[in-house]
Structures are given as C-alpha cells and as structure tokens.
C-alpha cells in the first residue's frame, strides 16, 4: 500500500490518477488532495477519498460539516504545507505551470518518489531539480505520456548507450491548418484536441507545438540527453507514445491507445503495471500509422524551445514565462492565437541569458519574462 499526495487533484491528471486509486484501494491511498479553486470539486473528492490533509489556494467560505475529519490548509503556499503535513510516500505533481515548481522542490525533501506530470517545473528548474533528486536518491517517475514511453523502453536498455530519443507528437488541433488560418484560430478551435482530453493550458500548448518544445526540454532533463539527440516526429494517431534508438539502429517504441491512465498508473505502481479498463490496441482496425516531420514554418515555437534549451541558463525559463502569460491572454480571448509564438520570440530576444544557480534565479527570470510579455501585449497584469 502506498500513500500518494495528489497535487492538482481536481485537474485532468489529478482526477485520472484518482480513478486508478479508486480501482485499487488495496494498493493506493490518497493521503493528500490539493487544488487551486474549484472547491466544490475538491469537496467531492475529499468526501470520496478521505485524505489526511486537503488544501485549497483560494479559501472557501466554509468547509462542509462532514468534511472536517481531515486537516485543511489554505492560501498561496497551501500545497507545500499540505504536502509536508501529509507525510505521503509519493507526490504526484500535477499542478499546471511554474506554479507547481515549489511543490516538486518540496516533494524532493519530504517524499520517497516524485511522479512528475508538471513538465513546466523541469523546463524552468530542471538542472536544480534533477541535481537535488540525484543527491537525495529520489526517483523522478515521468507521467507525461512520451516520457513514460521512453522510460518504459529504457527498461530494456541493459547498460547500452542510447543514440537518440524520438518524441512523438499528435500535431494538436491545428495540425493540418494553413499558416494564415492558424494565426486567427479561436479558443474553441484550439481546445478541440484530436486525440487527448486535457487541461486548457496544455491543449493550447499542443496546438502551438510549444508543448512539444517543453517536452524536448523535459526529456533532456529526465534522461540526461543533449538537445541534438532528441528528435520530434508528428504522429497524428497518438498510438506510438515515443521511442528510443540504440547504436545498432534498433528502435524500441511503446504503443497503446491514448489514455493518460496508462502513464499515470505506470508511475504510481512502478515497477509494477497497474491494470485499468484499458482498451486493447486493434491493429487491424487501425490499418496504418502515419508519421511526418514537424513544420517549423507553421509551428515556429518548437524550434524556439530547442534554441532556448541550447542557450541554457535562463532561456527556457523566459520561454516558459512568456508562453504562460500569452496562453493566459489567449484563453481570455485578449490576443489572437498567432501572438503566442511571437511573444515568446520577443521575450527571448529582449531578455539576455543569465545563469540559474538557485530557485530564486528561476523566479526572477520568470517574473522578468512575464513582465516583458505582458508589456508587449499591452497589458499591465494578468487579470
Ligand atoms: P488542469 O488545468 O486540468 O489541472 C491543474 C490542477 O492544478 C488543478 O487541480 C488546479 O486546481 C491546480 N492548480 C492550478 N494552478 C495552481 C496553483 N497556482 N497552485 C496550486 N494548484 C494549482 O491541468 P492538467 O491538464 O491536469 O495538467 C497538469 C500538468 O500535467 C501540466 O503541467 C501538464 O503539462 C501536465 N500534463 C498533462 C497531461 C494531460 O493529459 N492533462 C498530459 C501530460 C502532461
Ligand atoms: Mg506529453
């Protein structure tokens, strides 16, 4: 039996992780559930899963009488305080954005394992986080489907060097759109992801291919691979979740129907596989799988992310901060979709690369990037 803190419990990843807990009450217990707002949703989850600690960033008017059995924590640092109080063995870090970095950092102090969905924590604090995890001997188990696929393939490595990582990419909602149409895609267009059902921010990132850029950076940190050894291949069916290539040219792939409970369960149960109602792959029904090169002309954010990774230091933090600011503005329908990569470019151009030696450096670069991005968007703050 493992006790898991589910940080970002009301989100897409959080609720799917809880579905795994629900199916295997003999193996997993949710010891801590946290969320930002959506208190009603969290109340329901607390009622069902009965954690020891629960947290909300936005303090609700009242806690229902029947939910006062657990410890409640509120406020901006509530996730971190709840995680510490819970004494959970594993932390599933499923908060979206750099807002989840503190939780990952704390999980490395108080938990035995980190189950990482929150890719922005590695994009921004990757060197620091991976160094701390290595020093403390804490496994960082990937939840992102591509990274889980690579991690699964790596189980067959047997000490052999890996020549290349191949990250697959659905191409997002605008994969076959013309460049001029992409610029003015609406929120509704962008949120219609063809293969995955996810939170709003990551769905926008998929459409702009920023997500794949963030994932290249995430893969660099998780698997200690240089940017030049990580390739992206567009694969619209999302059946091949990613691949690794060895020096003899052999490629191992992990396949499955697109269902995040696969990679979430793999991280939760590792090294054991955790069954759920996974639909078996029907190859005859699939008939064929398609692959293509990413189009840098229509989706310029992917090469920008690779460039930021190569530049190092604060560059990935700047890329991420400008993206978070721009995606927020796009989802509030304040800017056209095409402004997102433009703003990232402008922020990268405007802010010189500085070294990142501590978490405070990360937050400083992030704040600088957001303020440049918002100024260029003609906004004073995010609300
Ligand atoms: P989501 O928006 O559905 O859920 C986010 C969760 O985090 C919610 O519970 C929310 O209340 C909480 N949260 C948001 N901001 C917070 C803050 N400032 N402080 C504390 N809690 C906060 O997001 P999601 O789609 O579940 O994605 C979560 C993370 O997992 C992201 O980093 C995303 O890139 C990654 N990821 C998601 C998927 C997916 O299928 N959804 C796949 C791969 C990776
Ligand atoms: Mg992914």
């Amino acid at each position: 039996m493992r006790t898991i803190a589910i940080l970002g419990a009301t989100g897409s990843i959080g609720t799917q992780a809880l579905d795994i807990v629900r199916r295997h009450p003999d193996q997993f217990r949710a010891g801590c559930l946290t969320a930002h707002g959506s208190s009603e949703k969290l109340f329901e989850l607390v009622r069902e899963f009965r954690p020891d600690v629960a947290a909300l960033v936005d303090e609700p008017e009242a806690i229902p009488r029947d939910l006062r059995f657990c410890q409640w924590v509120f406020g901006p640092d509530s996730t971190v305080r709840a995680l510490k109080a819970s004494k959970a063995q594993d932390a599933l870090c499923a908060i979206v954005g750099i807002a989840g970095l503190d939780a990952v950092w704390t999980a490395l102090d108080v938990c035995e394992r980190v189950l990482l969905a929150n890719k922005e924590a590695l994009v921004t604090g990757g060197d620091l986080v991976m160094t701390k995890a290595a020093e403390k001997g804490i496994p960082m188990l990937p939840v992102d489907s591509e990274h889980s696929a690579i991690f699964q393939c790596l189980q067959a490595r047997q000490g052999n060097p890996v020549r290349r990582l191949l990250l697959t990419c659905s191409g997002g909602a605008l994969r076959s759109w013309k460049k001029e149409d992409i610029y003015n895609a609406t929120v509704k267009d962008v949120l219609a992801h063809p293969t995955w059902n996810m939170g709003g921010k990551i769905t926008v990132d998929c459409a702009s291919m920023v997500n794949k850029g963030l994932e290249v950076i995430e893969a660099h940190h998780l698997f200690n691979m240089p940017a030049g050894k990580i390739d992206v291949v567009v694969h619209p069916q999302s059946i091949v979740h990613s691949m690794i290539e060895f020096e003899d040219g052999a490629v191992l792939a992990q396949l499955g129907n697109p269902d995040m409970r696969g990679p979430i369960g793999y991280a939760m149960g590792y090294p054991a596989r955790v069954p759920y109602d996974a639909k078996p792959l029907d190859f005859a029904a699939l008939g064929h799988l398609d692959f293509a090169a990413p189009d840098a002309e229509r989706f310029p954010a992917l090469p920008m992310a690779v460039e930021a990774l190569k530049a190092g230091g604060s560059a990935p933090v700047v890329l991420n901060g400008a993206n978070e600011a721009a995606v927020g503005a796009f989802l509030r329908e304040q800017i056209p979709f095409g402004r997102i990569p433009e703003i990232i470019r402008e922020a990268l151009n405007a802010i010189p690369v500085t070294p990142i030696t501590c978490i405070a450096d990360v937050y400083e670069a992030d704040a600088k990037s957001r303020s440049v991005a918002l100024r260029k968007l003609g906004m004073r703050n995010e609300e």
Side-chain angles (χ1 to χ4, degrees):
M1 170 72 88
R2 292 196 78 81
T3 307
I4 306 183
I6 305 206
L7 312 177
T10 55
S12 161
I13 293 289
T15 50
Q16 293 182 86
L18 285 166
D19 185 59
I20 301 278
V21 174
R22 185 182 290 124
R23 285 165 192 276
H24 300 282
D26 52 325
Q27 284 181 53
F28 305 111
R29 200 178 147 260
C32 172
L33 298 178
T34 79
H36 187 277
S38 51
S39 55
E40 289 303 325
K41 206 166 169 184
L42 190 73
F43 291 161
E44 259 174 58
L45 297 175
V46 168
R47 198 165 279 126
E48 179 181 355
F49 291 96
R50 308 194 70 77
D52 305 314
V53 190
L56 279 164
V57 173
D58 290 341
E59 181 162 1
E61 300 239 311
I63 298 297
R65 209 165 264 287
D66 65 320
L67 300 184
R68 296 187 189 159
F69 61 87
C70 77
Q71 182 184 342
W72 283 90
V73 186
F74 307 109
D77 59 349
S78 56
T79 313
V80 162
R81 285 192 289 130
L83 177 60
K84 284 184 183 161
S86 77
K87 308 225 163 23
Q89 291 165 291
D90 295 346
L92 172 68
C93 297
I95 290 173
V96 58
I98 194 175
L101 176 59
D102 269 352
V104 173
W105 195 252
T106 303
L108 290 171
D109 287 320
V110 300
C111 294
E112 292 167 17
R113 314 193 304 176
V114 172
L115 285 39
L116 188 84
N118 179 208
K119 63 191 83 184
E120 297 91 346
L122 280 191
V123 169
T124 56
D127 287 333
L128 302 169
V129 166
M130 293 310 292
T131 303
K132 181 167 171 178
E135 279 170 7
K136 298 205 154 208
I138 308 278
M140 296 282 291
L141 300 167
V143 168
D144 212 347
S145 59
E146 296 77 3
H147 306 75
S148 174
I150 289 168
F151 182 62
Q152 292 180 50
C153 293
L154 286 171
Q155 310 297 314
R157 178 182 185 176
Q158 306 228 323
N160 287 294
V162 172
R163 187 161 75 182
R164 195 161 60 118
L165 303 179
L166 288 128
L167 287 179
T168 53
C169 167
S170 71
L174 312 179
R175 177 179 56 87
S176 47
W177 286 41
K178 290 201 203 74
K179 193 177 176 187
E180 49 285 12
D181 297 336
I182 291 173
Y183 198 94
N184 289 309
T186 65
V187 170
K188 192 162 166 263
D189 295 329
V190 165
L191 291 185
H193 195 285
T195 50
W196 297 100
N197 183 9
M198 309 176 288
K201 191 261 179 184
I202 183 175
T203 309
V204 176
D205 287 349
C206 285
S208 63
M209 294 223 354
V210 164
N211 182 55
K212 211 47 54 176
L214 301 180
E215 290 187 353
V216 169
I217 303 174
E218 182 185 14
H220 156 77
H221 289 295
L222 282 171
F223 307 116
N224 193 22
M225 287 291 267
K229 291 185 169 189
I230 307 171
D231 284 346
V232 172
V233 57
V234 176
H235 167 46
Q237 293 95 348
S238 303
I239 297 293
V240 177
H241 298 313
S242 278
M243 304 174 260
I244 66 174
E245 182 187 78
F246 292 105
E247 287 186 323
D248 60 356
V251 173
L252 298 193
Q254 188 262 332
L255 283 72
N257 282 308
D259 188 324
M260 282 308 294
R261 291 174 301 172
I264 294 167
Y266 192 72
M268 285 170 64
Y270 180 79
R273 286 185 181 272
V274 181
Y276 61 99
D277 62 347
K279 226 170 90 212
L281 264 188
D282 183 343
F283 283 93
L286 280 168
H288 59 95
L289 296 173
D290 300 310
F291 300 96
D295 182 347
E297 176 70 23
R298 289 182 306 132
F299 300 103
L302 173 59
M304 280 184 227
V306 175
E307 175 193 318
L309 171 58
K310 288 180 177 161
S314 58
V317 187
V318 168
L319 170 105
N320 181 73
N323 182 58
E324 286 192 24
V327 169
F330 170 69
L331 284 171
R332 293 190 300 271
E333 302 186 322
Q334 293 167 321
I335 60 164
F337 181 73
R339 281 297 278 146
I340 296 173
E342 287 177 0
I343 286 296
I344 297 173
R345 174 83 281 155
E346 290 167 29
L348 285 171
N349 287 350
I351 303 170
V353 178
T354 50
I356 299 286
T357 57
C358 59
I359 292 288
D361 290 346
V362 176
Y363 288 123
E364 194 184 317
D366 177 65
K368 214 180 275 172
S369 177
R370 281 168 199 271
S371 101
V372 167
L374 292 172
R375 199 169 65 236
K376 300 215 180 253
L377 290 171
M379 292 168 200
R380 299 198 59 221
N381 59 48
E382 291 191 67
E383 286 318 311

